[in-house]
Amino acid sequence: SSICRAIGSFSSDWTYAATDPALRIHSADRSRYQWSYTGTWTRAMGTTVLDSSFATNRFNQIDEFRGLKQYKPTDVGLPAYLDEFCSSRGGCTLPSMTIGGYQPFGGGLSDGDTATHMQGQSTITSVKGRHTVAGGVDVRRAQRDRTGGGNRSGQLNFDRTYTRQFSDEATLTPSNLGLSLAAFELGLPTSATINDTLPSSFDNYWMGTFAQDTWRLGRLTINAGLRFEYETGVRENDGQMIVGF
């Protein structure tokens, strides 16, 4: 068996150089752990051998964004009902702000991702005179659980739509620089969205079984066998997946 855990930073954090830790709002604070266990059992009964094993492993990763979680929508002047919305759905963060031509800031919650795999298999082999008969079964289960992430505190996009000189840009196409920043300072977003992502749990089962006979006839050996496999396909436990199954 083995268990390990690691905590890392975020390579895309452009606030990493801030001297005040409270201003390093884009640090992902990535938390990751994994474990695995394997066990085997073998029994010999004369000319018959039974061999069984079981293995399981899990991998989990989530970006906690502790810096973004210091804030909520009302801290930047947004309505209180947004605080109520994000608080009831996993927690609030500094809303995502996209200003055309500038570095965006703020963001949503990360999708926590946990993958778990289990496998059990057993084979039996028996020597009977000229025959070596074998059979076995292999069962596997793959599961993936994801928490609902996304911009639950809102995402605001600012560009030059409401601050440009002319609505018709056929003869003059201004830059977003300055104009999108003016829209941000005036509080005039071009669009505003919010995410309400549901948590999900996926699984997939696979099973295989076989029977085989090795028959020795002098210098000639005949191998005859039959194998059967069945797989359920990926499914969401609450029936929420409508594509990708």
Side-chain angles (χ1 to χ4, degrees), residues 85 89 111 147-152 195-199:
F85 181 86
R89 288 165 171 79
D111 291 317
T147 59
N151 292 309
R152 297 179 174 184
N195 298 140
D196 189 9
T197 308
L198 296 174

Side-chain angles (χ1 to χ4, degrees), residues 9-197:
S9 59
F10 191 37
S11 60
S12 298
D13 176 21
W14 57 271
T15 62
Y16 74 96
T19 55
D20 184 353
L23 298 178
R24 297 171 189 165
I25 60 174
H26 282 277
S27 175
D29 305 302
R30 177 167 294 170
S31 176
R32 177 188 297 156
Y33 76 83
Q34 64 186 56
W35 51 252
S36 62
Y37 300 92
T38 303
T40 61
W41 181 72
T42 303
R43 183 178 183 183
M45 302 167 287
T47 58
T48 301
V49 176
L50 177 63
D51 187 22
S52 302
S53 65
F54 177 79
T56 181
N57 64 77
R58 172 171 290 178
F59 174 83
N60 171 272
Q61 176 174 295
I62 187 170
D63 294 334
E64 298 179 356
F65 291 116
R66 299 169 190 165
L68 293 178
K69 288 181 178 179
Q70 299 176 94
Y71 307 95
K72 54 186 183 297
T74 53
D75 291 334
V76 291
L78 293 175
Y81 64 77
L82 290 176
D83 286 3
E84 298 173 4
F85 181 86
C86 58
S87 296
S88 64
R89 288 165 171 79
C92 300
T93 59
L94 179 67
S96 175
M97 306 283 184
T98 301
I99 304 173
Y102 297 86
Q103 178 69 47
F105 62 92
L109 297 174
S110 174
D111 291 317
D113 203 332
T114 302
T116 307
H117 298 86
M118 293 181 287
Q119 179 181 11
Q121 60 181 5
S122 182
T123 59
I124 186 168
T125 305
S126 182
V127 179
K128 304 292 185 182
R130 295 176 179 270
H131 295 268
T132 300
V133 181
V137 62
D138 186 354
V139 180
R140 306 176 190 180
R141 181 177 185 264
Q143 180 176 342
R144 186 176 186 180
D145 298 296
R146 305 194 72 181
T147 59
N151 292 309
R152 297 179 174 184
S153 296
Q155 179 173 2
L156 304 177
N157 299 310
F158 299 88
D159 59 24
R160 62 178 182 266
T161 298
Y162 301 119
T163 52
R164 60 191 174 183
Q165 184 176 6
F166 303 106
S167 296
D168 184 359
E169 297 186 350
T171 56
L172 175 63
T173 303
S175 169
N176 266 318
L177 291 176
L179 298 179
S180 60
L181 182 60
F184 169 73
E185 292 179 342
L186 291 169
L188 297 174
T190 305
S191 64
T193 59
I194 197 166
N195 298 140
D196 189 9
T197 308

